[in-house]
mmCIF file of all heavy atoms in Angstrom:
data_model
loop_
_atom_site.group_PDB
_atom_site.id
_atom_site.type_symbol
_atom_site.label_atom_id
_atom_site.label_comp_id
_atom_site.label_asym_id
_atom_site.label_seq_id
_atom_site.Cartn_x
_atom_site.Cartn_y
_atom_site.Cartn_z
ATOM 1 N N ILE C 97 37.972 35.852 67.775
ATOM 2 C CA ILE C 97 36.787 36.478 67.248
ATOM 3 C C ILE C 97 37.213 37.366 66.095
ATOM 4 O O ILE C 97 36.513 37.458 65.029
ATOM 5 C CB ILE C 97 36.055 37.349 68.370
ATOM 6 C CG1 ILE C 97 35.483 36.384 69.387
ATOM 7 C CG2 ILE C 97 34.907 38.153 67.772
ATOM 8 C CD1 ILE C 97 34.995 37.050 70.620
ATOM 9 N N ALA C 98 38.243 38.110 66.238
ATOM 10 C CA ALA C 98 38.733 39.004 65.163
ATOM 11 C C ALA C 98 39.049 38.177 63.897
ATOM 12 O O ALA C 98 38.708 38.618 62.783
ATOM 13 C CB ALA C 98 39.956 39.804 65.562
ATOM 14 N N LYS C 99 39.722 37.030 64.087
ATOM 15 C CA LYS C 99 40.079 36.206 62.950
ATOM 16 C C LYS C 99 38.844 35.649 62.230
ATOM 17 O O LYS C 99 38.768 35.534 61.026
ATOM 18 C CB LYS C 99 40.978 35.112 63.346
ATOM 19 C CG LYS C 99 42.405 35.503 63.612
ATOM 20 C CD LYS C 99 43.259 34.395 64.044
ATOM 21 C CE LYS C 99 44.705 34.770 64.198
ATOM 22 N NZ LYS C 99 45.525 33.687 64.777
ATOM 23 N N LEU C 100 37.837 35.262 63.068
ATOM 24 C CA LEU C 100 36.583 34.797 62.465
ATOM 25 C C LEU C 100 35.943 35.872 61.614
ATOM 26 O O LEU C 100 35.474 35.628 60.486
ATOM 27 C CB LEU C 100 35.585 34.389 63.624
ATOM 28 C CG LEU C 100 35.838 33.034 64.242
ATOM 29 C CD1 LEU C 100 35.052 32.894 65.545
ATOM 30 C CD2 LEU C 100 35.444 31.900 63.290
ATOM 31 N N ALA C 101 35.930 37.137 62.153
ATOM 32 C CA ALA C 101 35.312 38.195 61.424
ATOM 33 C C ALA C 101 36.053 38.448 60.086
ATOM 34 O O ALA C 101 35.460 38.653 59.077
ATOM 35 C CB ALA C 101 35.306 39.468 62.284
ATOM 36 N N LYS C 102 37.372 38.423 60.182
ATOM 37 C CA LYS C 102 38.167 38.699 58.959
ATOM 38 C C LYS C 102 38.000 37.611 57.915
ATOM 39 O O LYS C 102 38.048 37.837 56.717
ATOM 40 C CB LYS C 102 39.666 38.845 59.343
ATOM 41 C CG LYS C 102 40.512 39.485 58.251
ATOM 42 C CD LYS C 102 41.917 39.620 58.692
ATOM 43 C CE LYS C 102 42.790 40.361 57.693
ATOM 44 N NZ LYS C 102 44.165 40.438 58.166
ATOM 45 N N ALA C 103 37.781 36.370 58.398
ATOM 46 C CA ALA C 103 37.561 35.259 57.439
ATOM 47 C C ALA C 103 36.333 35.444 56.585
ATOM 48 O O ALA C 103 36.214 34.823 55.500
ATOM 49 C CB ALA C 103 37.468 33.945 58.243
ATOM 50 N N SER C 104 35.451 36.348 56.973
ATOM 51 C CA SER C 104 34.274 36.667 56.130
ATOM 52 C C SER C 104 34.713 37.264 54.819
ATOM 53 O O SER C 104 33.972 37.269 53.841
ATOM 54 C CB SER C 104 33.350 37.635 56.886
ATOM 55 O OG SER C 104 33.948 38.908 56.953
ATOM 56 N N GLY C 105 35.923 37.884 54.828
ATOM 57 C CA GLY C 105 36.353 38.580 53.591
ATOM 58 C C GLY C 105 35.743 39.928 53.455
ATOM 59 O O GLY C 105 35.892 40.631 52.414
ATOM 60 N N LEU C 106 34.980 40.400 54.521
ATOM 61 C CA LEU C 106 34.298 41.672 54.368
ATOM 62 C C LEU C 106 34.987 42.834 55.141
ATOM 63 O O LEU C 106 34.609 43.966 54.995
ATOM 64 C CB LEU C 106 32.888 41.524 54.998
ATOM 65 C CG LEU C 106 31.951 40.523 54.272
ATOM 66 C CD1 LEU C 106 30.641 40.430 54.976
ATOM 67 C CD2 LEU C 106 31.729 40.889 52.829
ATOM 68 N N CYS C 107 36.024 42.516 55.927
ATOM 69 C CA CYS C 107 36.620 43.547 56.724
ATOM 70 C C CYS C 107 38.003 43.184 57.234
ATOM 71 O O CYS C 107 38.321 41.979 57.339
ATOM 72 C CB CYS C 107 35.746 43.813 57.990
ATOM 73 S SG CYS C 107 35.258 42.301 58.820
ATOM 74 N N ASP C 108 38.780 44.193 57.480
ATOM 75 C CA ASP C 108 40.113 43.907 58.080
ATOM 76 C C ASP C 108 40.402 44.870 59.314
ATOM 77 O O ASP C 108 41.467 44.873 59.868
ATOM 78 C CB ASP C 108 41.324 43.951 57.166
ATOM 79 C CG ASP C 108 41.464 45.318 56.471
ATOM 80 O OD1 ASP C 108 40.618 46.220 56.729
ATOM 81 O OD2 ASP C 108 42.418 45.443 55.690
ATOM 82 N N MET C 109 39.280 45.613 59.633
ATOM 83 C CA MET C 109 39.398 46.466 60.876
ATOM 84 C C MET C 109 38.720 45.712 62.029
ATOM 85 O O MET C 109 37.792 44.910 61.770
ATOM 86 C CB MET C 109 38.610 47.742 60.681
ATOM 87 C CG MET C 109 39.304 48.724 59.735
ATOM 88 S SD MET C 109 38.837 50.460 60.152
ATOM 89 C CE MET C 109 37.160 50.501 60.090
ATOM 90 N N VAL C 110 39.206 45.956 63.208
ATOM 91 C CA VAL C 110 38.570 45.301 64.355
ATOM 92 C C VAL C 110 38.619 46.251 65.565
ATOM 93 O O VAL C 110 39.535 46.987 65.758
ATOM 94 C CB VAL C 110 39.191 43.926 64.699
ATOM 95 C CG1 VAL C 110 40.673 44.072 65.066
ATOM 96 C CG2 VAL C 110 38.433 43.188 65.776
ATOM 97 N N LYS C 111 37.525 46.266 66.305
ATOM 98 C CA LYS C 111 37.460 46.956 67.556
ATOM 99 C C LYS C 111 37.771 45.931 68.644
ATOM 100 O O LYS C 111 36.992 44.995 68.868
ATOM 101 C CB LYS C 111 36.070 47.573 67.758
ATOM 102 C CG LYS C 111 35.810 48.004 69.230
ATOM 103 C CD LYS C 111 34.443 48.632 69.365
ATOM 104 C CE LYS C 111 34.046 48.672 70.867
ATOM 105 N NZ LYS C 111 32.734 49.371 71.086
ATOM 106 N N VAL C 112 38.928 46.095 69.271
ATOM 107 C CA VAL C 112 39.275 45.187 70.323
ATOM 108 C C VAL C 112 38.515 45.580 71.598
ATOM 109 O O VAL C 112 38.603 46.683 72.042
ATOM 110 C CB VAL C 112 40.824 45.241 70.622
ATOM 111 C CG1 VAL C 112 41.180 44.460 71.883
ATOM 112 C CG2 VAL C 112 41.586 44.639 69.427
ATOM 113 N N GLU C 113 37.717 44.640 72.062
ATOM 114 C CA GLU C 113 36.935 44.876 73.250
ATOM 115 C C GLU C 113 37.090 43.636 74.138
ATOM 116 O O GLU C 113 36.555 42.582 73.817
ATOM 117 C CB GLU C 113 35.480 45.143 72.817
ATOM 118 C CG GLU C 113 34.547 45.367 73.988
ATOM 119 C CD GLU C 113 33.071 45.687 73.552
ATOM 120 O OE1 GLU C 113 32.894 45.990 72.333
ATOM 121 O OE2 GLU C 113 32.215 45.566 74.390
ATOM 122 N N VAL C 114 37.868 43.795 75.202
ATOM 123 C CA VAL C 114 38.069 42.698 76.181
ATOM 124 C C VAL C 114 37.573 43.199 77.503
ATOM 125 O O VAL C 114 38.198 44.024 78.127
ATOM 126 C CB VAL C 114 39.593 42.316 76.250
ATOM 127 C CG1 VAL C 114 39.641 40.986 77.073
ATOM 128 C CG2 VAL C 114 40.183 42.048 74.854
ATOM 129 N N ILE C 115 36.404 42.721 77.892
ATOM 130 C CA ILE C 115 35.833 43.231 79.150
ATOM 131 C C ILE C 115 36.455 42.540 80.337
ATOM 132 O O ILE C 115 36.635 41.321 80.394
ATOM 133 C CB ILE C 115 34.275 42.990 79.090
ATOM 134 C CG1 ILE C 115 33.639 43.741 77.906
ATOM 135 C CG2 ILE C 115 33.627 43.397 80.442
ATOM 136 C CD1 ILE C 115 33.857 45.213 77.896
ATOM 137 N N GLY C 116 36.799 43.398 81.326
ATOM 138 C CA GLY C 116 37.471 42.870 82.516
ATOM 139 C C GLY C 116 36.603 42.939 83.745
ATOM 140 O O GLY C 116 37.059 42.497 84.831
ATOM 141 N N CYS C 117 35.428 43.534 83.632
ATOM 142 C CA CYS C 117 34.568 43.669 84.846
ATOM 143 C C CYS C 117 33.102 43.616 84.381
ATOM 144 O O CYS C 117 32.664 44.465 83.640
ATOM 145 C CB CYS C 117 34.899 44.970 85.530
ATOM 146 S SG CYS C 117 33.768 45.421 86.843
ATOM 147 N N ASP C 118 32.379 42.629 84.876
ATOM 148 C CA ASP C 118 31.004 42.465 84.419
ATOM 149 C C ASP C 118 30.094 43.583 84.898
ATOM 150 O O ASP C 118 29.049 43.865 84.255
ATOM 151 C CB ASP C 118 30.434 41.116 84.923
ATOM 152 C CG ASP C 118 31.080 39.966 84.143
ATOM 153 O OD1 ASP C 118 31.589 40.238 83.070
ATOM 154 O OD2 ASP C 118 31.145 38.836 84.722
ATOM 155 N N LYS C 119 30.374 44.156 86.007
ATOM 156 C CA LYS C 119 29.524 45.243 86.539
ATOM 157 C C LYS C 119 29.671 46.534 85.783
ATOM 158 O O LYS C 119 28.688 47.151 85.352
ATOM 159 C CB LYS C 119 29.815 45.461 88.042
ATOM 160 C CG LYS C 119 28.829 46.448 88.639
ATOM 161 C CD LYS C 119 29.133 46.718 90.094
ATOM 162 C CE LYS C 119 28.221 47.806 90.573
ATOM 163 N NZ LYS C 119 28.696 48.386 91.804
ATOM 164 N N THR C 120 30.917 46.950 85.491
ATOM 165 C CA THR C 120 31.143 48.234 84.864
ATOM 166 C C THR C 120 31.365 48.094 83.383
ATOM 167 O O THR C 120 31.383 49.060 82.665
ATOM 168 C CB THR C 120 32.424 48.821 85.500
ATOM 169 O OG1 THR C 120 33.545 48.012 85.227
ATOM 170 C CG2 THR C 120 32.316 49.053 87.003
#
Side-chain angles (χ1 to χ4, degrees):
Chain C
I97 295 170
K99 286 181 175 173
L100 281 165
K102 195 179 184 183
S104 70
L106 300 176
C107 48
D108 62 358
M109 286 210 302
V110 63
K111 166 178 163 175
V112 170
E113 179 176 344
V114 188
I115 299 302
C117 171
D118 289 338
K119 186 183 174 196
T120 62

